[in-house]
mmCIF file of all heavy atoms in Angstrom:
data_model
loop_
_atom_site.group_PDB
_atom_site.id
_atom_site.type_symbol
_atom_site.label_atom_id
_atom_site.label_comp_id
_atom_site.label_asym_id
_atom_site.label_seq_id
_atom_site.Cartn_x
_atom_site.Cartn_y
_atom_site.Cartn_z
ATOM 1 N N GLU A 1074 -53.245 -11.680 44.402
ATOM 2 C CA GLU A 1074 -54.570 -11.255 44.832
ATOM 3 C C GLU A 1074 -55.424 -10.993 43.613
ATOM 4 O O GLU A 1074 -54.935 -10.638 42.518
ATOM 5 C CB GLU A 1074 -54.565 -10.068 45.708
ATOM 6 C CG GLU A 1074 -53.678 -10.163 46.958
ATOM 7 C CD GLU A 1074 -52.345 -9.281 46.841
ATOM 8 O OE1 GLU A 1074 -51.862 -9.259 45.699
ATOM 9 O OE2 GLU A 1074 -51.920 -8.777 47.884
ATOM 10 N N SER A 1075 -56.675 -11.093 43.736
ATOM 11 C CA SER A 1075 -57.630 -10.640 42.820
ATOM 12 C C SER A 1075 -59.020 -10.483 43.518
ATOM 13 O O SER A 1075 -59.172 -10.641 44.596
ATOM 14 C CB SER A 1075 -57.903 -11.798 41.767
ATOM 15 O OG SER A 1075 -58.402 -13.039 42.366
ATOM 16 N N GLY A 1076 -59.871 -9.721 42.721
ATOM 17 C CA GLY A 1076 -61.197 -9.488 43.297
ATOM 18 C C GLY A 1076 -61.582 -8.149 43.783
ATOM 19 O O GLY A 1076 -62.604 -7.876 44.011
ATOM 20 N N GLY A 1077 -60.604 -7.260 43.668
ATOM 21 C CA GLY A 1077 -60.827 -5.913 44.036
ATOM 22 C C GLY A 1077 -61.729 -5.126 43.005
ATOM 23 O O GLY A 1077 -61.909 -5.673 41.989
ATOM 24 N N GLY A 1078 -62.093 -3.940 43.280
ATOM 25 C CA GLY A 1078 -62.982 -3.208 42.290
ATOM 26 C C GLY A 1078 -63.604 -2.082 43.034
ATOM 27 O O GLY A 1078 -63.348 -1.611 44.165
ATOM 28 N N LEU A 1079 -64.646 -1.525 42.144
ATOM 29 C CA LEU A 1079 -65.338 -0.385 42.677
ATOM 30 C C LEU A 1079 -66.688 -0.870 43.123
ATOM 31 O O LEU A 1079 -67.372 -1.617 42.393
ATOM 32 C CB LEU A 1079 -65.522 0.553 41.499
ATOM 33 C CG LEU A 1079 -66.155 1.947 41.759
ATOM 34 C CD1 LEU A 1079 -65.257 2.732 42.547
ATOM 35 C CD2 LEU A 1079 -66.291 2.645 40.353
ATOM 36 N N VAL A 1080 -67.248 -0.489 44.270
ATOM 37 C CA VAL A 1080 -68.362 -0.942 44.819
ATOM 38 C C VAL A 1080 -69.083 0.081 45.547
ATOM 39 O O VAL A 1080 -68.552 0.880 46.200
ATOM 40 C CB VAL A 1080 -68.151 -2.237 45.739
ATOM 41 C CG1 VAL A 1080 -67.209 -1.839 46.970
ATOM 42 C CG2 VAL A 1080 -69.394 -2.867 46.144
ATOM 43 N N GLN A 1081 -70.435 0.115 45.410
ATOM 44 C CA GLN A 1081 -71.271 1.141 46.239
ATOM 45 C C GLN A 1081 -71.221 0.827 47.617
ATOM 46 O O GLN A 1081 -71.257 -0.355 48.082
ATOM 47 C CB GLN A 1081 -72.639 1.058 45.558
ATOM 48 C CG GLN A 1081 -73.538 2.338 45.995
ATOM 49 C CD GLN A 1081 -74.699 2.425 45.211
ATOM 50 O OE1 GLN A 1081 -75.201 1.436 44.495
ATOM 51 N NE2 GLN A 1081 -75.429 3.523 45.343
ATOM 52 N N THR A 1082 -71.289 1.806 48.459
ATOM 53 C CA THR A 1082 -71.270 1.769 49.903
ATOM 54 C C THR A 1082 -72.451 0.806 50.323
ATOM 55 O O THR A 1082 -73.598 0.939 49.673
ATOM 56 C CB THR A 1082 -71.561 3.030 50.555
ATOM 57 O OG1 THR A 1082 -70.345 3.864 50.330
ATOM 58 C CG2 THR A 1082 -71.671 2.931 52.056
ATOM 59 N N GLY A 1083 -72.266 -0.198 51.143
ATOM 60 C CA GLY A 1083 -73.202 -1.239 51.517
ATOM 61 C C GLY A 1083 -73.131 -2.386 50.749
ATOM 62 O O GLY A 1083 -73.834 -3.428 51.146
ATOM 63 N N GLY A 1084 -72.332 -2.414 49.729
ATOM 64 C CA GLY A 1084 -72.310 -3.564 48.916
ATOM 65 C C GLY A 1084 -71.161 -4.671 49.344
ATOM 66 O O GLY A 1084 -70.698 -4.418 50.465
ATOM 67 N N SER A 1085 -70.907 -5.580 48.500
ATOM 68 C CA SER A 1085 -70.054 -6.667 48.941
ATOM 69 C C SER A 1085 -68.996 -6.949 47.820
ATOM 70 O O SER A 1085 -69.226 -6.624 46.605
ATOM 71 C CB SER A 1085 -70.779 -7.978 49.026
ATOM 72 O OG SER A 1085 -71.807 -7.879 50.003
ATOM 73 N N LEU A 1086 -67.946 -7.426 48.208
ATOM 74 C CA LEU A 1086 -66.875 -7.873 47.335
ATOM 75 C C LEU A 1086 -66.189 -9.102 47.945
ATOM 76 O O LEU A 1086 -66.177 -9.236 49.283
ATOM 77 C CB LEU A 1086 -65.732 -6.904 47.140
ATOM 78 C CG LEU A 1086 -65.987 -5.738 46.103
ATOM 79 C CD1 LEU A 1086 -64.812 -4.717 46.089
ATOM 80 C CD2 LEU A 1086 -66.174 -6.275 44.679
ATOM 81 N N ARG A 1087 -65.603 -10.034 47.213
ATOM 82 C CA ARG A 1087 -64.819 -11.088 47.713
ATOM 83 C C ARG A 1087 -63.442 -11.033 47.068
ATOM 84 O O ARG A 1087 -63.259 -11.082 45.871
ATOM 85 C CB ARG A 1087 -65.476 -12.462 47.368
ATOM 86 C CG ARG A 1087 -64.743 -13.516 48.005
ATOM 87 C CD ARG A 1087 -65.332 -14.917 47.935
ATOM 88 N NE ARG A 1087 -65.022 -15.572 46.760
ATOM 89 C CZ ARG A 1087 -64.974 -16.899 46.539
ATOM 90 N NH1 ARG A 1087 -65.375 -17.711 47.467
ATOM 91 N NH2 ARG A 1087 -64.673 -17.403 45.334
ATOM 92 N N LEU A 1088 -62.501 -10.954 47.897
ATOM 93 C CA LEU A 1088 -60.995 -10.956 47.450
ATOM 94 C C LEU A 1088 -60.460 -12.334 47.568
ATOM 95 O O LEU A 1088 -60.866 -13.142 48.438
ATOM 96 C CB LEU A 1088 -60.208 -10.005 48.325
ATOM 97 C CG LEU A 1088 -60.722 -8.639 48.524
ATOM 98 C CD1 LEU A 1088 -59.670 -7.752 49.299
ATOM 99 C CD2 LEU A 1088 -60.811 -7.951 47.125
ATOM 100 N N SER A 1089 -59.580 -12.734 46.633
ATOM 101 C CA SER A 1089 -59.008 -14.007 46.600
ATOM 102 C C SER A 1089 -57.499 -13.809 46.539
ATOM 103 O O SER A 1089 -57.079 -12.780 46.043
ATOM 104 C CB SER A 1089 -59.408 -14.814 45.370
ATOM 105 O OG SER A 1089 -60.731 -15.007 45.319
ATOM 106 N N CYS A 1090 -56.739 -14.799 47.135
ATOM 107 C CA CYS A 1090 -55.248 -14.698 47.186
ATOM 108 C C CYS A 1090 -54.812 -16.163 46.937
ATOM 109 O O CYS A 1090 -55.084 -17.037 47.860
ATOM 110 C CB CYS A 1090 -54.744 -14.130 48.445
ATOM 111 S SG CYS A 1090 -53.001 -14.330 48.626
ATOM 112 N N ALA A 1091 -54.184 -16.366 45.897
ATOM 113 C CA ALA A 1091 -53.745 -17.706 45.550
ATOM 114 C C ALA A 1091 -52.227 -17.764 45.890
ATOM 115 O O ALA A 1091 -51.346 -16.917 45.436
ATOM 116 C CB ALA A 1091 -53.915 -18.002 44.044
ATOM 117 N N ALA A 1092 -51.789 -18.822 46.634
ATOM 118 C CA ALA A 1092 -50.494 -19.027 47.040
ATOM 119 C C ALA A 1092 -49.825 -20.096 46.094
ATOM 120 O O ALA A 1092 -50.520 -21.078 45.931
ATOM 121 C CB ALA A 1092 -50.401 -19.394 48.533
ATOM 122 N N SER A 1093 -48.558 -19.958 45.827
ATOM 123 C CA SER A 1093 -47.842 -20.931 45.026
ATOM 124 C C SER A 1093 -46.466 -20.964 45.573
ATOM 125 O O SER A 1093 -45.908 -20.057 46.270
ATOM 126 C CB SER A 1093 -47.903 -20.665 43.583
ATOM 127 O OG SER A 1093 -47.349 -19.515 43.324
ATOM 128 N N GLY A 1094 -45.655 -22.050 45.302
ATOM 129 C CA GLY A 1094 -44.329 -22.181 45.670
ATOM 130 C C GLY A 1094 -44.296 -23.088 46.893
ATOM 131 O O GLY A 1094 -44.903 -24.186 46.984
ATOM 132 N N SER A 1095 -43.383 -22.768 47.851
ATOM 133 C CA SER A 1095 -43.174 -23.626 48.979
ATOM 134 C C SER A 1095 -44.240 -23.499 50.046
ATOM 135 O O SER A 1095 -44.062 -22.950 51.123
ATOM 136 C CB SER A 1095 -41.906 -23.313 49.512
ATOM 137 O OG SER A 1095 -41.477 -24.259 50.649
ATOM 138 N N ILE A 1096 -45.444 -23.852 49.716
ATOM 139 C CA ILE A 1096 -46.602 -23.422 50.558
ATOM 140 C C ILE A 1096 -46.665 -24.321 51.825
ATOM 141 O O ILE A 1096 -47.305 -23.822 52.811
ATOM 142 C CB ILE A 1096 -47.993 -23.679 49.793
ATOM 143 C CG1 ILE A 1096 -48.038 -25.040 49.322
ATOM 144 C CG2 ILE A 1096 -48.045 -22.618 48.634
ATOM 145 C CD1 ILE A 1096 -49.374 -25.359 48.752
ATOM 146 N N SER A 1097 -45.916 -25.337 51.999
ATOM 147 C CA SER A 1097 -45.933 -26.218 53.179
ATOM 148 C C SER A 1097 -45.427 -25.340 54.385
ATOM 149 O O SER A 1097 -45.620 -25.665 55.515
ATOM 150 C CB SER A 1097 -45.137 -27.444 52.955
ATOM 151 O OG SER A 1097 -43.753 -27.053 52.729
ATOM 152 N N GLY A 1098 -44.675 -24.242 54.052
ATOM 153 C CA GLY A 1098 -44.116 -23.543 55.141
ATOM 154 C C GLY A 1098 -44.930 -22.289 55.571
ATOM 155 O O GLY A 1098 -44.438 -21.554 56.404
ATOM 156 N N ILE A 1099 -46.011 -22.205 55.067
ATOM 157 C CA ILE A 1099 -46.943 -21.166 55.424
ATOM 158 C C ILE A 1099 -47.552 -21.394 56.826
ATOM 159 O O ILE A 1099 -48.358 -22.446 56.957
ATOM 160 C CB ILE A 1099 -48.096 -20.905 54.422
ATOM 161 C CG1 ILE A 1099 -47.410 -20.343 53.135
ATOM 162 C CG2 ILE A 1099 -48.977 -19.802 54.992
ATOM 163 C CD1 ILE A 1099 -48.480 -20.139 52.008
ATOM 164 N N ASN A 1100 -47.477 -20.558 57.757
ATOM 165 C CA ASN A 1100 -47.967 -20.720 59.172
ATOM 166 C C ASN A 1100 -49.414 -20.041 59.215
ATOM 167 O O ASN A 1100 -50.311 -20.491 59.909
ATOM 168 C CB ASN A 1100 -47.107 -20.242 60.232
ATOM 169 C CG ASN A 1100 -45.793 -20.886 60.270
ATOM 170 O OD1 ASN A 1100 -45.719 -22.123 60.249
ATOM 171 N ND2 ASN A 1100 -44.649 -20.191 60.397
ATOM 172 N N ALA A 1101 -49.547 -18.999 58.453
ATOM 173 C CA ALA A 1101 -50.750 -18.183 58.497
ATOM 174 C C ALA A 1101 -50.873 -17.447 57.277
ATOM 175 O O ALA A 1101 -49.887 -16.977 56.723
ATOM 176 C CB ALA A 1101 -50.749 -17.287 59.728
ATOM 177 N N LEU A 1102 -52.068 -17.069 56.879
ATOM 178 C CA LEU A 1102 -52.391 -16.091 55.804
ATOM 179 C C LEU A 1102 -53.232 -15.049 56.295
ATOM 180 O O LEU A 1102 -54.074 -15.315 57.214
ATOM 181 C CB LEU A 1102 -53.160 -16.956 54.657
ATOM 182 C CG LEU A 1102 -52.297 -18.000 53.808
ATOM 183 C CD1 LEU A 1102 -53.170 -18.855 53.059
ATOM 184 C CD2 LEU A 1102 -51.259 -17.248 53.026
ATOM 185 N N GLY A 1103 -53.135 -13.926 55.712
ATOM 186 C CA GLY A 1103 -53.916 -12.846 56.098
ATOM 187 C C GLY A 1103 -54.166 -11.740 55.102
ATOM 188 O O GLY A 1103 -53.619 -11.799 54.021
ATOM 189 N N TRP A 1104 -54.963 -10.787 55.556
ATOM 190 C CA TRP A 1104 -55.207 -9.670 54.637
ATOM 191 C C TRP A 1104 -54.917 -8.325 55.433
ATOM 192 O O TRP A 1104 -55.223 -8.294 56.660
ATOM 193 C CB TRP A 1104 -56.791 -9.622 54.223
ATOM 194 C CG TRP A 1104 -57.090 -10.696 53.271
ATOM 195 C CD1 TRP A 1104 -57.614 -11.898 53.488
ATOM 196 C CD2 TRP A 1104 -56.943 -10.634 51.784
ATOM 197 N NE1 TRP A 1104 -57.816 -12.566 52.335
ATOM 198 C CE2 TRP A 1104 -57.386 -11.748 51.347
ATOM 199 C CE3 TRP A 1104 -56.459 -9.652 50.924
ATOM 200 C CZ2 TRP A 1104 -57.377 -12.157 49.983
ATOM 201 C CZ3 TRP A 1104 -56.369 -9.897 49.569
ATOM 202 C CH2 TRP A 1104 -56.830 -11.168 49.050
ATOM 203 N N TYR A 1105 -54.285 -7.446 54.796
ATOM 204 C CA TYR A 1105 -53.942 -6.179 55.372
ATOM 205 C C TYR A 1105 -54.502 -5.116 54.393
ATOM 206 O O TYR A 1105 -54.720 -5.460 53.223
ATOM 207 C CB TYR A 1105 -52.411 -6.020 55.555
ATOM 208 C CG TYR A 1105 -51.886 -6.795 56.618
ATOM 209 C CD1 TYR A 1105 -51.736 -8.199 56.551
ATOM 210 C CD2 TYR A 1105 -51.317 -6.198 57.805
ATOM 211 C CE1 TYR A 1105 -51.279 -9.002 57.567
ATOM 212 C CE2 TYR A 1105 -50.791 -6.972 58.877
ATOM 213 C CZ TYR A 1105 -50.704 -8.314 58.769
ATOM 214 O OH TYR A 1105 -50.218 -9.079 59.857
ATOM 215 N N ARG A 1106 -54.576 -3.856 54.829
ATOM 216 C CA ARG A 1106 -54.986 -2.881 53.889
ATOM 217 C C ARG A 1106 -54.282 -1.485 54.238
ATOM 218 O O ARG A 1106 -53.850 -1.275 55.405
ATOM 219 C CB ARG A 1106 -56.524 -2.624 53.991
ATOM 220 C CG ARG A 1106 -57.015 -2.113 55.363
ATOM 221 C CD ARG A 1106 -58.462 -2.175 55.334
ATOM 222 N NE ARG A 1106 -59.177 -1.680 56.534
ATOM 223 C CZ ARG A 1106 -60.478 -1.719 56.873
ATOM 224 N NH1 ARG A 1106 -61.359 -2.207 55.932
ATOM 225 N NH2 ARG A 1106 -60.844 -1.239 57.950
ATOM 226 N N GLN A 1107 -54.119 -0.742 53.125
ATOM 227 C CA GLN A 1107 -53.463 0.535 53.358
ATOM 228 C C GLN A 1107 -54.156 1.609 52.593
ATOM 229 O O GLN A 1107 -54.313 1.553 51.315
ATOM 230 C CB GLN A 1107 -52.025 0.452 52.761
ATOM 231 C CG GLN A 1107 -51.174 1.657 53.154
ATOM 232 C CD GLN A 1107 -49.620 1.416 52.810
ATOM 233 O OE1 GLN A 1107 -49.330 0.476 52.125
ATOM 234 N NE2 GLN A 1107 -48.764 2.183 53.378
ATOM 235 N N ALA A 1108 -54.809 2.549 53.279
ATOM 236 C CA ALA A 1108 -55.498 3.704 52.785
ATOM 237 C C ALA A 1108 -54.327 4.780 52.342
ATOM 238 O O ALA A 1108 -53.244 4.770 52.904
ATOM 239 C CB ALA A 1108 -56.535 4.247 53.741
ATOM 240 N N PRO A 1109 -54.756 5.645 51.482
ATOM 241 C CA PRO A 1109 -53.786 6.679 51.037
ATOM 242 C C PRO A 1109 -53.282 7.528 52.296
ATOM 243 O O PRO A 1109 -54.086 7.967 53.073
ATOM 244 C CB PRO A 1109 -54.546 7.463 50.117
ATOM 245 C CG PRO A 1109 -55.643 6.565 49.526
ATOM 246 C CD PRO A 1109 -56.008 5.674 50.610
ATOM 247 N N GLY A 1110 -52.002 7.625 52.384
ATOM 248 C CA GLY A 1110 -51.381 8.440 53.418
ATOM 249 C C GLY A 1110 -51.391 7.765 54.831
ATOM 250 O O GLY A 1110 -50.976 8.456 55.788
ATOM 251 N N LYS A 1111 -51.804 6.550 54.827
ATOM 252 C CA LYS A 1111 -51.876 5.852 56.147
ATOM 253 C C LYS A 1111 -50.978 4.615 56.043
ATOM 254 O O LYS A 1111 -50.541 4.095 55.074
ATOM 255 C CB LYS A 1111 -53.212 5.464 56.459
ATOM 256 C CG LYS A 1111 -54.193 6.589 56.671
ATOM 257 C CD LYS A 1111 -55.512 6.196 57.214
ATOM 258 C CE LYS A 1111 -56.406 7.479 57.491
ATOM 259 N NZ LYS A 1111 -57.748 7.106 57.973
ATOM 260 N N GLN A 1112 -50.737 3.995 57.265
ATOM 261 C CA GLN A 1112 -49.932 2.767 57.297
ATOM 262 C C GLN A 1112 -50.728 1.580 56.905
ATOM 263 O O GLN A 1112 -51.906 1.553 56.848
ATOM 264 C CB GLN A 1112 -49.347 2.613 58.822
ATOM 265 C CG GLN A 1112 -50.466 2.349 59.830
ATOM 266 C CD GLN A 1112 -49.826 2.222 61.275
ATOM 267 O OE1 GLN A 1112 -48.750 2.675 61.529
ATOM 268 N NE2 GLN A 1112 -50.595 1.652 62.049
ATOM 269 N N ARG A 1113 -50.002 0.553 56.640
ATOM 270 C CA ARG A 1113 -50.659 -0.762 56.416
ATOM 271 C C ARG A 1113 -51.103 -1.309 57.672
ATOM 272 O O ARG A 1113 -50.299 -1.582 58.565
ATOM 273 C CB ARG A 1113 -49.643 -1.601 55.616
ATOM 274 C CG ARG A 1113 -50.286 -2.933 55.079
ATOM 275 C CD ARG A 1113 -49.218 -3.721 54.278
ATOM 276 N NE ARG A 1113 -48.761 -2.918 53.147
ATOM 277 C CZ ARG A 1113 -47.863 -3.407 52.184
ATOM 278 N NH1 ARG A 1113 -47.455 -4.771 52.207
ATOM 279 N NH2 ARG A 1113 -47.401 -2.662 51.196
ATOM 280 N N ASP A 1114 -52.409 -1.781 57.734
ATOM 281 C CA ASP A 1114 -52.984 -2.289 59.010
ATOM 282 C C ASP A 1114 -53.545 -3.687 58.727
ATOM 283 O O ASP A 1114 -54.089 -4.011 57.660
ATOM 284 C CB ASP A 1114 -54.104 -1.398 59.451
ATOM 285 C CG ASP A 1114 -53.669 -0.121 60.006
ATOM 286 O OD1 ASP A 1114 -52.500 -0.092 60.568
ATOM 287 O OD2 ASP A 1114 -54.238 0.914 59.757
ATOM 288 N N LEU A 1115 -53.521 -4.552 59.787
ATOM 289 C CA LEU A 1115 -54.137 -5.827 59.724
ATOM 290 C C LEU A 1115 -55.601 -5.716 59.561
ATOM 291 O O LEU A 1115 -56.410 -4.809 60.081
ATOM 292 C CB LEU A 1115 -53.862 -6.592 61.025
ATOM 293 C CG LEU A 1115 -54.594 -7.885 61.345
ATOM 294 C CD1 LEU A 1115 -54.136 -8.883 60.412
ATOM 295 C CD2 LEU A 1115 -54.500 -8.280 62.756
ATOM 296 N N VAL A 1116 -56.117 -6.670 58.717
ATOM 297 C CA VAL A 1116 -57.652 -6.717 58.576
ATOM 298 C C VAL A 1116 -58.090 -8.093 59.209
ATOM 299 O O VAL A 1116 -58.970 -8.101 59.994
ATOM 300 C CB VAL A 1116 -58.043 -6.764 57.113
ATOM 301 C CG1 VAL A 1116 -59.580 -6.999 56.967
ATOM 302 C CG2 VAL A 1116 -57.636 -5.355 56.489
ATOM 303 N N ALA A 1117 -57.461 -9.176 58.812
ATOM 304 C CA ALA A 1117 -57.848 -10.460 59.243
ATOM 305 C C ALA A 1117 -56.715 -11.459 58.963
ATOM 306 O O ALA A 1117 -55.982 -11.288 57.992
ATOM 307 C CB ALA A 1117 -59.130 -10.958 58.601
ATOM 308 N N THR A 1118 -56.635 -12.460 59.842
ATOM 309 C CA THR A 1118 -55.699 -13.572 59.628
ATOM 310 C C THR A 1118 -56.297 -14.935 59.886
ATOM 311 O O THR A 1118 -57.320 -15.032 60.706
ATOM 312 C CB THR A 1118 -54.502 -13.414 60.483
ATOM 313 O OG1 THR A 1118 -54.874 -13.496 61.776
ATOM 314 C CG2 THR A 1118 -53.713 -12.153 60.180
#
Side-chain angles (χ1 to χ4, degrees):
E1074 303 104 329
S1075 61
L1079 192 63
V1080 62
Q1081 195 168 15
T1082 297
S1085 300
L1086 278 177
R1087 189 176 82 154
L1088 306 182
S1089 300
C1090 172
S1093 61
S1095 182
I1096 59 173
S1097 62
I1099 294 176
N1100 298 314
L1102 289 165
W1104 290 94
Y1105 289 69
R1106 63 188 180 186
Q1107 187 169 18
K1111 296 188 177 181
Q1112 66 181 22
R1113 190 175 301 184
D1114 290 326
L1115 169 71
V1116 176
T1118 59

